[in-house]
């Protein structure tokens, strides 16, 4: 049994040696073999990048990232199984380096993106860090792909291979997706700053913290005016003639600006009136039987003003909530429509 076991090992080693030592005489064929080893990997990882670009919820497409990692590992195995080209290992090593780099990106960087997604909406700084990581990850992939392309051109020149300048669908789509994503992120952060500050403002309102309300209101005015100015720039007013997302962002910012300047002071005025009413009521109750006709008249006047203010306050709140929902829905529709039109799909 022992000799039989070693015999099988010897057969396996001989078989591996025969496979790995096979010679590919034509440099063009060799390049094709290396490229073919990455076909499934390219398809799987571009499918993930494409799906991620069409959704802001990376966790929903974790299955695609797992599939990409598996295909990248498979591509490395296939590439390592190919021989050197007449003793020259430069292109095979460049391919392996590229594949390993892609694995680190999908295993580490995209994992961080998924984890950061959970906390990104907790503050403007965290959202900016989240979007920056996405942008840098995309740039790393483009740079790695460009480096492999450089190694391929050098190998071809050294071995007399004429490269046909054919269109690379994967690289073109990845480059296009990167540009669309960067434009979307630049607009999204303008919207998010206002949307987030709006949330802080209404938390302060609900807590009746007037000083905090005023601070949030001023910040909201600043973010809205800053964003509207940015939207006038040539780089943001449209993308390749498509101004749909910019218009959606502009409408949202105009709403937030108008609300902060015109509506919020009316809401805070109501709370100030409420505070004043509570003081008058408390003072009247404290006087007991010693209250005067003037005290009663002042209280009745305050009650009348308060009742009128309650109706106006409730109506204004209702109008603002309705308009906010409309604006946010329009922004989401604009973002989806924009990406459906311009973001490449890859399946």
């Amino acid at each position: 049994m022992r000799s039989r076991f070693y015999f099988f090992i010897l057969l396996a080693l001989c078989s591996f040696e025969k496979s790995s030592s096979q010679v590919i005489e034509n440099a063009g064929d060799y390049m094709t073999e290396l490229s073919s080893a990455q076909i499934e990997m390219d398809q799987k990882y571009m499918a993930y990048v494409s799906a991620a670009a069409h959704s802001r919820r990376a966790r929903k497409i974790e299955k695609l990232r797992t599939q990409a990692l598996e295909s990248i590992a498979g591509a490395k195995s296939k590439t390592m199984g190919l021989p050197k080209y007449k003793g020259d290992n430069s292109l095979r090593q460049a391919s392996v380096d590229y594949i390993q780099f892609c694995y680190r990106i999908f295993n580490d960087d995209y994992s961080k993106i998924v984890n950061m997604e959970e906390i990104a909406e907790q503050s403007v700084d965290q959202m900016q860090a989240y979007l920056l990581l996405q942008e840098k990850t995309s740039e790393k992939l483009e740079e790695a792909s460009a480096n492999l392309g450089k190694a391929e051109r050098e190998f071809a020149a050294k071995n007399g291979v004429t490269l046909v300048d054919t269109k690379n669908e994967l690289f073109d789509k990845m480059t296009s997706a990167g540009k669309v994503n960067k434009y979307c992120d630049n607009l999204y952060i303008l919207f998010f700053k206002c949307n987030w500050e709006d949330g802080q403002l209404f938390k302060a309102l609900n807590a009746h913290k007037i000083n905090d309300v005023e601070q949030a209101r001023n910040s909201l005015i600043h973010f809205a005016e800053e964003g509207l100015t940015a939207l006038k720039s040539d780089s943001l007013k449209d993308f390749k003639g498509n101004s749909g997302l910019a218009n959606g962002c502009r409408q949202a910012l105009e709403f937030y600006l108008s609300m902060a300047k015109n509506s919020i002071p009316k809401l805070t005025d109501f709370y100030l009136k409420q505070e004043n009413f509570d003081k008058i009521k408390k003072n009247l109750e404290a006087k007991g039987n010693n209250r005067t006709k003037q005290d009663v008249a002042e209280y009745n006047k305050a009650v009348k003003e308060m009742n009128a203010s309650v109706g106006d306050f409730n109506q204004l709140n209702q109008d603002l909530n309705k308009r906010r929902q409309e604006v946010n829905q329009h922004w989401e529709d604009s973002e989806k429509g924009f990406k459906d039109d311009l973001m490449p799909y890859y399946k």
Side-chain angles (χ1 to χ4, degrees):
M1 288 294 295
R2 187 176 181 84
S3 60
R4 180 181 174 82
F5 177 69
Y6 280 123
F7 177 68
F8 280 128
I9 291 180
L10 181 61
L11 281 178
L13 289 174
C14 290
S15 176
F16 175 78
E17 182 64 28
K18 180 180 179 181
S19 173
S20 62
S21 63
Q22 71 180 49
V23 177
I24 302 176
E25 294 293 339
N26 185 281
D29 292 342
Y30 182 75
M31 294 182 73
T32 299
E33 286 290 326
L34 284 174
S35 179
S36 296
Q38 299 175 29
I39 289 178
E40 182 182 348
M41 161 189 149
D42 290 345
Q43 292 172 339
K44 293 292 185 182
Y45 98 56
M46 191 57 207
Y48 175 81
V49 171
S50 176
H54 283 274
S55 171
R56 288 201 176 273
R57 299 299 176 191
R59 190 169 293 281
K60 288 185 177 181
I61 53 172
E62 268 292 87
K63 183 178 179 181
L64 290 179
R65 187 170 73 92
T66 300
Q67 292 175 349
L69 284 169
E70 292 172 352
S71 65
I72 292 171
K76 180 182 177 181
S77 178
K78 292 176 183 176
T79 302
M80 292 294 291
L82 292 171
K84 302 176 183 179
Y85 180 73
K86 298 181 178 179
D88 182 358
N89 195 41
S90 60
L91 185 56
R92 187 180 74 158
Q93 188 59 53
S95 297
V96 170
D97 291 343
Y98 169 70
I99 294 169
Q100 289 177 327
F101 183 82
C102 287
Y103 190 90
R104 288 196 298 272
I105 290 290
F106 276 80
N107 191 56
D108 299 336
D109 291 56
Y110 277 112
S111 179
K112 290 178 183 177
I113 288 173
V114 171
N115 292 332
M116 283 185 69
E117 184 179 76
E118 300 297 324
I119 61 171
E121 295 186 358
Q122 293 181 7
S123 75
V124 171
D125 288 343
Q126 287 173 329
M127 178 57 73
Q128 287 177 317
Y130 173 69
L131 295 178
L132 181 61
L133 177 57
Q134 287 184 315
E135 181 181 333
K136 294 301 181 183
T137 300
S138 178
E139 289 176 357
K140 285 180 184 179
L141 280 173
E142 288 186 41
E143 183 179 356
S145 181
N147 288 338
L148 178 59
K150 180 174 179 289
E152 289 172 340
R153 290 191 295 274
E154 290 175 349
F155 179 87
K158 183 167 54 177
N159 291 281
V161 177
T162 301
L163 295 178
V164 179
D165 189 17
T166 56
K167 190 173 182 179
N168 187 320
E169 181 187 14
L170 174 70
F171 183 77
D172 287 348
K173 285 191 173 184
M174 187 168 66
T175 301
S176 178
K179 291 178 180 178
V180 174
N181 261 335
K182 187 171 184 178
Y183 176 79
C184 288
D185 288 348
N186 286 337
L187 290 185
Y188 180 72
I189 196 62
L190 302 181
F191 168 81
F192 179 81
K193 286 179 179 179
C194 293
N195 183 265
W196 184 85
E197 200 63 59
D198 174 54
Q200 299 304 111
L201 191 156
F202 273 86
K203 282 182 183 178
L205 273 172
N206 291 333
H208 295 193
K209 295 181 178 180
I210 304 303
N211 289 336
D212 290 350
V213 169
E214 191 61 19
Q215 182 178 348
R217 186 177 83 91
N218 289 331
S219 294
L220 182 52
I221 290 173
H222 169 73
F223 284 142
E225 290 180 338
E226 180 184 63
L228 288 169
T229 298
L231 286 170
K232 295 176 183 178
S233 66
D234 290 339
S235 61
L236 294 184
K237 66 181 181 181
D238 64 48
F239 183 85
K240 296 183 177 180
N242 188 319
S243 58
L245 189 58
N247 289 337
C249 187
R250 183 179 298 104
Q251 288 184 27
L253 268 54
E254 286 173 348
F255 161 74
Y256 286 124
L257 181 60
S258 175
M259 180 189 70
K261 282 187 172 182
N262 304 316
S263 301
I264 299 304
K266 295 177 183 178
L267 297 181
T268 54
D269 183 59
F270 169 80
Y271 286 126
L272 292 174
K273 286 181 178 178
Q274 190 177 50
E275 284 184 12
N276 184 58
F277 172 76
D278 290 340
K279 288 179 181 178
I280 293 173
K281 182 180 178 182
K282 186 177 181 180
N283 182 55
L284 184 70
E285 291 172 346
K287 288 185 177 182
N289 294 330
N290 295 324
R291 66 186 66 168
T292 65
K293 289 183 179 181
Q294 182 178 350
D295 291 332
V296 174
E298 183 181 6
Y299 173 74
N300 289 334
K301 180 183 177 182
V303 169
K304 186 177 180 180
E305 291 178 350
M306 194 63 201
N307 287 337
S309 297
V310 167
D312 293 340
F313 175 83
N314 289 337
Q315 185 61 53
L316 180 56
N317 250 330
Q318 183 178 335
D319 292 343
L320 287 177
N321 288 334
K322 180 182 178 182
R323 182 63 185 138
R324 181 185 292 104
Q325 290 176 359
E326 292 173 349
V327 164
N328 289 342
Q329 186 61 54
H330 184 258
W331 160 259
E332 291 178 8
D333 292 343
S334 298
E335 187 176 36
K336 183 179 185 303
F338 181 85
K339 288 187 174 181
D340 286 347
D341 288 344
L342 295 168
M343 184 66 75
Y345 278 94
Y346 197 95
K347 296 181 179 180

